[in-house]
Amino acid sequence: MLSHLDHLEAEAIHIIREVAVTCEKPVMLYSIGKDSTVLLHLARKAFAPGKIPFPLLHVDTTWKFKEMIEYRDRLADDPNVDLLVHVNEEARAQGIGPFTHGSSLHTHLYKTVGLRQALEQHGFNAAIGGARRDEEKSRAKERIFSFRNASQGWDPKNQRPEMWSIYNTRVNPKESVRVFPMSNWTELDVWHYILREKLELVSLYMAAERPVIEHDGMLMMADDEARLPEGAKPEMRMVRFRTLGCWPLTGAVESDAQSLEDIIGEMMVSRTSERQGRVIDKDEAGSMEKKKQEGYF
Amino acid sequence: MAAPESRVLDLLAARENRSQLRIVTCGSVDDGKSTLIGRLLYDTRAILEDQLQTLEKDSRVHGTDGDNIDFALLVDGLEAEREQGITIDVAYRFLSTPSRHFIIADTPGHEQYTRNMATGASTADVAIVLIDARRGVLTQTRRHSHIASLLGIPNIVLAVNKIDLVDYSEDRFREIVNDYETFASDLGFSNITAIPLSARHGDNVTEGSARTPWYTGAALLPHLESIGIDDTVDGEPFRFPVQMVHRPNLDFRGYAGTVASGSVSVGHEVVAARSGKSSKVVRIAGRAGDQPRADKGDAVTLLLADEIELSRGNVLAARTALPNVSDQFEATLVWFDDDASLMPGRPFILRMASEEVPATVTALKYAVDVNTFVHEATRSLSLNEIGVANISTRSPLAFDSYRDNRSTGSFILIDRMTNATVAAGMINHPLRRASNVHWQALDITKTARAEAKHQKPAVLWFTGLSGSGKSTIANALEKMLHASGRHTIILDGDNVRHGLNRDLGFTDEDRVENIRRVAEVAKLMTEAGLIVLVSFISPFAAERLLAREMMEEGEFVEIFVDTPLEACIARDPKGLYGKALAGELKNFTGIDSPFEAPQSPDIHLKTEGSDVDELAQSVEQWLRDHGVIH
Ligand SMILES: Nc1nc2c(ncn2[C@@H]2O[C@H](COP(=O)(O)OP(=O)(O)O)[C@@H](O)[C@H]2O)c(=O)[nH]1
């Protein structure tokens, strides 16, 4: 009998293998966060003792936490992993950033457009991601193999039926699929799995004394002194992050949880969702759906 | 405040051992499905504070319950759904109680979204069928129950909702339950449990209600926690569809896949279903290193003692209970495509477990009326219709009947042009065993016959509108070929319709059959080594593809005789356009029936301003360039 996590793990491995065998040009989206860490671990298992047969892609927004980038660069040295990094160079040349241009334009240009550029440039027609259905309402509606039209848009009202665990992986030229092997995992499952498999995470997930400022009703870490809003005076507080993205857009929570067990304990009594700390989802409930129609992951 | 560490580990350990139950909710629109799920999530504290705040905000904007929380908004995740107050697609929700993990698929009630309902139902162990106590059993209740039964869901919970709106009446409840049980008695559910409840007010959802003292059964949640699911694998026949051959280095050759049923251990004998060759499992590479045994649901890599012919699509099975192997079987289909209906003869891609093959629906036996379950003769299936059909595949498949095995007895059909998933299929039984199908071994081969004629056999398929010039060009070409000593034959649409296809009309179904027969005849003639010139309107891309795939690689030459419709109408050699435009001729290609122009024909002939002989010569040149004639 398989345990709960065993089930989830086996299902994800099956899906990842299915992509590798039936899709022409797959890639795995890698965001450095905990879900990506789990996803990468699952991909290693799926092809052990061999090498992962597709590259990883990190879409960099130029505003990621320093520590995330260090972690990523260490991963790039792993001979079993082929890591690509893409930046929307036009946005960078224009000096786009969250403080000067607002969070939505920043996210749109670096993440949504950046991802579209990278997929088109390399001709990837299957992109595996670590998104889960429990994250957000429109995600709860998404298929495991989620079809994208030639302009990479998602048409939520016209999704392919997905019967049993038979996946239709066929696409015409220019069309693609996004694949979510961890669709049925919950946030707690992810943490539990990280603990069980002893996975190493970016330490920002664990509480530590860090310099923070209060900004837009959110605790922002002063990750890059030089790029802080004017007049900001960071103070040291014991904080951690439940999700990682661009440092100016990812809220820290005050916490003493310094180990995985502490974090899970905190979660079990917590009454807020992990996405709460994200500026980009807050506007209104439909905002994630809109972004996804435009090609956001 | 965090829970102490040891307690955390205990809780996690307990979580690991909870069983998982997959639920689908179904019923007609507005019966309260979304409200019920929202209520379950709320009452089990699966809704977090910030989500609740969003919900309260949304409730005031889109809600249907004044300033009160509208739980339906929790699950209706798409903007269009919140605006229209309906559910369009399946939402998956997760819920854990101390005894179970639940995955709930909330599916839409509208008939037009039946395929989304089927998506949610295909993996479910339990179906909650909602009924609005005021409205009783409706068409959608019957449709969904029927689909639930087809998909093999054993347990039904009949949730008689909105009991508050019928004054918590026991009589009304009994009446509905009676109605339902009478109609469902033929559906073969192993267990139907009826519960009176109010999703909006919470009666009998997580706890029994004082307002229904006459109901002594369990409330919904405790009932779901106690439903028995059969998860024993012992005694189940072992099935392992090979997902991929895994050969990362010279010392490791394994077959990766997920155990579809039963279990396997190191030392067991396994048989490759399609070849009948057997070997022994010497090693099982699992998710965490080697393991002695693998059970249903596990993703592993099996290493065998012998190198037997085995690739993706084959199934490893236990010697004592082998699956069927056949290229023909009968199946029940649910049709999903809103663009086109299912017509016998059309080619599809069939996808099952780990196999993908070209397939054709050879005969549609009957359609099933979802209300009365009566079988009705039919020539096609349209959106959301259910029917029983014979299917034939290009190569033999290993499968079980769906009744015996949900994983190895199910498949989907995929449209060859759009790649849309157009049907779900459940195999009833094989029609013949592949091992009985022996082709007559022929001594004189096709190549031998063609070589005697100093040519390669080919099918030159002229497609184009009526009056575009297909026959004229084909005739001119045949004369040229004949003059240079080639052996040819022309199959002309009009002529064939006078004889072989005399029984066929011009409906879409008949056009498909028309082409299929002509393609078969053309194929026989290639066996004779001939160059076959087929001059047929053949308006559908899918049929031309069917014809192409029946021939050997390179044998089929698609020639698009491209003349604009206006020019054809102006020419109108047989006066047919005149009649069609006057409405005297129905289903006329170009007028009230579509022509799907070839996207990339092998030869593209633009007739306007060209001379017939020049066009014929250009085809002859092409044949020379491509080695059909020397
Ligand atoms: N009085 C009453 N109203 C209900 C009950 N359950 C649902 N409703 C209302 O019925 C309407 C339709 O419910 P909804 O959950 O959207 O139905 P769905 O289409 O099946 O998902 C909404 O206005 C609900 O508030 C109930 O038990 N009692």
Side-chain angles (χ1 to χ4, degrees):
Chain A
M1 264 287 296
L2 299 185
S3 76
H4 178 61
L5 286 181
D6 288 339
H7 258 296
L8 294 172
E9 185 182 53
E11 180 187 52
I13 288 175
H14 179 84
I15 293 164
I16 294 171
R17 284 177 177 160
E18 202 64 9
V19 176
V21 206
T22 64
C23 297
E24 226 175 302
K25 194 130 200 283
V27 67
M28 178 173 270
L29 278 280
Y30 177 74
S31 74
I32 316 172
K34 63 180 194 311
D35 302 291
S36 288
T37 305
V38 170
L39 195 61
L40 174 59
H41 186 66
L42 291 164
R44 289 185 197 269
K45 285 196 175 199
F47 305 106
K51 195 173 158 335
I52 301 175
F54 42 72
L56 270 56
L57 170 68
H58 179 231
V59 178
D60 196 342
T61 62
T62 72
W63 289 82
K64 298 288 177 196
F65 290 91
K66 273 195 212 110
E67 204 206 309
M68 290 172 75
I69 301 301
E70 286 160 20
Y71 182 97
R72 178 195 77 190
D73 293 345
R74 274 202 306 279
L75 176 68
D77 296 336
D78 183 334
N80 280 317
V81 169
D82 174 13
L83 177 72
L84 307 169
V85 176
H86 178 87
V87 178
N88 178 349
E89 290 300 344
E90 289 145 44
R92 173 143 70 182
Q94 287 169 40
I96 305 287
F99 294 124
T100 42
H101 298 80
S103 64
S104 31
L105 185 69
H106 166 82
T107 309
H108 179 73
L109 290 179
Y110 282 112
K111 287 187 86 173
T112 310
V113 177
L115 173 63
R116 267 195 331 228
Q117 287 173 343
L119 296 181
E120 265 158 34
Q121 225 172 64
H122 295 273
F124 293 126
N125 62 0
I128 307 171
R132 310 184 314 266
R133 286 171 172 156
D134 81 324
E135 274 177 66
E136 199 271 337
K137 277 201 278 194
S138 65
R139 293 254 191 241
K141 297 262 165 180
E142 195 157 8
R143 302 281 188 261
I144 292 177
F145 280 75
S146 185
F147 178 78
R148 293 293 185 278
N149 61 25
S151 45
Q152 300 198 17
W154 182 51
D155 180 0
K157 279 179 283 184
N158 199 13
Q159 300 194 73
R160 286 178 177 172
E162 194 163 82
M163 303 291 296
W164 302 287
S165 39
I166 305 177
Y167 304 109
N168 177 353
T169 56
R170 297 176 71 93
V171 292
N172 280 324
K174 295 220 157 61
E175 297 170 348
S176 58
V177 280
R178 306 268 167 102
V179 188
F180 306 106
M182 294 161 66
S183 284
N184 292 327
W185 295 50
T186 62
E187 189 189 6
L188 188 52
D189 295 327
V190 170
W191 283 111
H192 188 182
Y193 187 74
I194 290 169
L195 178 70
R196 185 180 94 169
E197 303 290 308
K198 304 188 175 63
L199 304 184
E200 189 210 325
L201 292 179
V202 176
S203 74
L204 292 163
Y205 284 111
M206 316 292 167
E209 292 276 343
R210 297 191 169 95
V212 292
I213 58 172
E214 295 212 18
H215 186 83
D216 270 351
M218 176 187 99
L219 268 188
M220 180 196 293
M221 179 165 153
D223 191 60
D224 186 351
E225 289 279 347
R227 295 202 283 183
L228 282 180
E230 232 168 283
K233 291 206 180 54
E235 50 172 321
M236 297 303 278
R237 291 215 217 155
M238 195 68 177
V239 294
R240 66 180 183 91
F241 295 86
R242 288 181 68 178
T243 156
L244 292 179
C246 297
W247 61 264
L249 301 178
T250 312
V253 290
E254 295 201 71
S255 162
D256 291 324
Q258 285 170 285
S259 69
L260 284 173
E261 288 87 344
D262 291 347
I263 291 177
I264 294 172
E266 225 176 60
M267 252 192 82
M268 284 176 160
V269 295
S270 149
R271 305 299 311 143
T272 55
S273 73
E274 65 191 307
R275 288 214 155 253
Q276 197 204 17
R278 294 217 180 186
V279 177
I280 54 159
D281 293 345
K282 263 203 187 137
D283 329 345
E284 51 181 306
S287 69
M288 171 70 92
E289 180 185 346
K290 287 205 194 87
K291 283 198 199 65
K292 284 160 62 67
Q293 289 179 10
E294 292 163 0
Y296 183 81
F297 219 74
Chain B
M1 220 212 52
E5 202 163 293
S6 60
R7 172 133 171 77
V8 167
L9 295 177
D10 287 348
L11 285 170
L12 288 178
R15 239 182 136 256
E16 269 291 82
N17 297 320
R18 285 175 209 161
S19 59
Q20 186 189 69
L21 190 77
R22 298 188 71 128
I23 302 173
V24 60
T25 57
C26 45
S28 195
V29 63
D30 271 351
D31 286 346
K33 285 185 304 297
S34 310
T35 311
L36 179 64
I37 295 176
R39 163 66 68 181
L40 277 172
L41 294 172
Y42 184 75
D43 286 356
T44 53
R45 294 177 38 97
I47 303 176
L48 301 172
E49 260 158 34
D50 53 319
Q51 292 169 334
L52 203 60
Q53 275 167 20
T54 317
L55 177 64
E56 283 167 0
K57 203 171 89 193
D58 284 357
S59 294
R60 285 191 293 274
V61 184
H62 300 296
T64 57
D65 195 10
D67 267 353
N68 292 329
I69 292 183
D70 184 348
F71 290 111
L73 294 177
L74 249 188
V75 279
D76 285 341
L78 304 174
E79 195 70 3
E81 295 181 318
R82 284 193 297 272
E83 271 159 18
Q84 298 167 35
I86 58 165
T87 307
I88 293 173
D89 214 328
V90 205
Y92 294 90
R93 291 277 154 185
F94 307 87
L95 179 71
S96 274
T97 70
S99 54
R100 256 191 186 154
H101 295 286
F102 297 98
I103 299 184
I104 308 179
D106 178 24
T107 67
H110 280 280
E111 177 174 350
Q112 71 188 110
Y113 303 124
T114 300
R115 59 183 180 196
N116 302 338
M117 181 266 164
T119 290
S122 64
T123 48
D125 306 303
V126 179
I128 301 183
V129 177
L130 257 93
I131 292 194
D132 181 331
R134 295 168 306 174
R135 298 196 288 172
V137 175
L138 303 174
T139 308
Q140 272 307 79
T141 324
R142 281 194 273 262
R143 170 184 289 278
H144 285 173
S145 301
H146 192 180
I147 294 175
S149 136
L150 278 180
L151 290 171
I153 301 178
N155 303 294
I156 295 287
V157 177
L158 186 69
V160 181
N161 189 32
K162 306 196 188 182
I163 199 78
D164 53 310
L165 297 181
V166 296
D167 291 331
Y168 300 94
S169 157
E170 176 173 11
D171 289 347
R172 180 65 184 144
F173 175 72
R174 296 272 161 244
E175 190 184 351
I176 292 171
V177 174
N178 263 334
D179 277 1
Y180 188 83
E181 283 178 345
T182 316
F183 115 90
S185 60
D186 294 337
L187 292 182
F189 296 121
S190 57
N191 164 26
I192 301 178
T193 303
I195 304 177
L197 51 84
S198 167
R200 180 179 275 189
H201 303 295
D203 299 273
N204 293 323
V205 176
T206 46
E207 281 171 22
S209 165
R211 288 182 284 212
T212 52
W214 44 266
Y215 175 72
T216 51
L220 179 63
L221 189 62
H223 173 64
L224 294 174
E225 288 182 302
S226 69
I227 287 182
I229 35 174
D230 187 14
D231 49 11
T232 53
V233 293
D234 296 327
E236 226 181 40
F238 169 66
R239 296 285 182 269
F240 186 81
V242 174
Q243 193 180 13
M244 57 178 234
V245 179
H246 194 32
R247 177 135 222 206
N249 58 55
L250 290 174
D251 308 325
F252 189 103
R253 183 194 180 86
Y255 303 94
T258 298
V259 181
S261 65
S263 67
V264 68
S265 297
V266 171
H268 277 186
E269 188 191 4
V270 289
V271 179
R274 286 207 293 217
S275 62
K277 294 268 171 5
S278 71
S279 184
K280 243 195 200 118
V281 176
V282 289
R283 187 177 152 196
I284 302 177
R287 292 167 288 109
D290 286 359
Q291 58 192 60
R293 163 186 167 134
D295 286 348
K296 175 179 179 163
D298 206 353
V300 294
T301 303
L302 303 182
L303 287 85
L304 305 182
D306 314 272
E307 286 222 356
I308 57 175
E309 154 80 35
L310 193 57
S311 55
R312 179 174 165 91
N314 212 334
V315 173
L316 285 173
R319 156 81 61 211
T320 45
L322 293 173
N324 297 301
V325 176
S326 175
D327 57 359
Q328 289 195 27
F329 52 82
E330 186 201 271
T332 303
L333 297 175
V334 187
W335 190 249
F336 290 148
D337 192 13
D338 34 15
D339 292 333
S341 43
L342 167 69
M343 289 179 295
R346 277 248 156 136
F348 298 99
I349 298 287
L350 181 149
R351 176 128 196 195
M352 66 180 306
S354 66
E355 177 68 307
E356 202 173 85
V357 284
T360 313
V361 175
T362 49
L364 196 51
K365 301 182 133 171
Y366 55 83
V368 184
D369 181 307
V370 290
N371 273 312
T372 58
F373 307 140
V374 168
H375 298 176
E376 293 161 338
T378 186
R379 306 194 70 179
S380 65
L381 283 186
S382 49
L383 179 64
N384 297 327
E385 286 189 327
I386 297 167
V388 170
N390 288 348
I391 302 208
S392 134
T393 54
R394 171 88 65 78
S395 50
L397 298 177
F399 60 85
D400 292 287
S401 79
Y402 187 76
R403 222 174 311 109
D404 294 337
N405 195 319
R406 258 167 122 175
S407 313
T408 50
S410 55
F411 63 88
I412 58 173
L413 295 179
I414 299 173
D415 185 279
R416 313 208 44 159
M417 297 293 149
T418 62
N419 287 323
T421 303
V422 292
M426 288 138 285
I427 299 178
N428 300 332
H429 52 75
L431 287 172
R432 63 173 188 202
R433 291 198 173 270
S435 48
N436 298 338
V437 197
H438 290 299
W439 282 97
Q440 192 59 43
L442 302 169
D443 290 337
I444 311 285
T445 64
K446 173 180 186 172
T447 328
R449 292 190 202 98
E451 272 167 6
K453 301 183 177 72
H454 307 288
Q455 63 189 36
K456 277 209 254 169
V459 176
L460 311 181
W461 192 281
F462 292 81
T463 173
L465 292 166
S466 173
S468 58
K470 295 182 297 297
S471 306
T472 319
I473 300 169
N475 273 320
L477 176 64
E478 189 177 34
K479 277 190 204 142
M480 282 177 200
L481 294 172
H482 187 77
S484 56
R486 311 295 170 190
H487 298 253
T488 58
I489 179 81
I490 287 194
L491 296 173
D492 185 88
D494 289 340
N495 299 347
V496 173
R497 277 194 177 274
H498 285 302
L500 177 66
N501 291 353
R502 187 165 54 195
D503 55 326
L504 300 177
F506 289 90
T507 60
D508 287 357
E509 293 91 325
D510 282 358
R511 283 176 190 273
V512 174
E513 176 59 13
N514 187 32
I515 299 299
R516 189 191 68 77
R517 289 189 199 169
V518 170
E520 288 287 1
V521 172
K523 183 180 162 75
L524 286 174
M525 294 188 163
T526 60
E527 295 286 339
L530 297 179
I531 296 175
V532 191
L533 291 80
V534 180
S535 158
F536 264 68
I537 300 177
S538 42
F540 302 119
E543 277 75 62
R544 296 191 299 261
L545 187 61
L546 166 81
R548 178 187 292 276
E549 291 190 336
M550 282 167 55
M551 314 305 162
E552 274 177 25
E553 187 75 37
E555 228 170 57
F556 183 92
V557 183
E558 186 175 55
I559 305 175
F560 178 23
V561 182
D562 187 1
T563 310
L565 181 62
E566 305 72 52
C568 295
I569 294 177
R571 289 181 196 166
D572 204 6
K574 299 172 202 147
L576 296 173
Y577 282 101
K579 284 194 196 154
L581 288 167
E584 290 161 34
L585 212 56
K586 287 274 163 251
N587 297 325
F588 196 74
T589 301
I591 306 300
D592 57 351
S593 183
F595 179 77
E596 299 170 9
Q599 294 303 310
S600 43
D602 299 295
I603 306 178
H604 192 154
L605 300 177
K606 296 211 166 96
T607 66
E608 275 196 312
S610 303
D611 173 79
V612 173
D613 287 330
E614 272 170 30
L615 293 171
Q617 262 158 14
S618 70
V619 179
E620 195 192 26
Q621 190 56 47
W622 191 97
L623 296 176
R624 251 179 237 293
D625 294 346
H626 289 77
V628 178
I629 54 180
H630 345 271

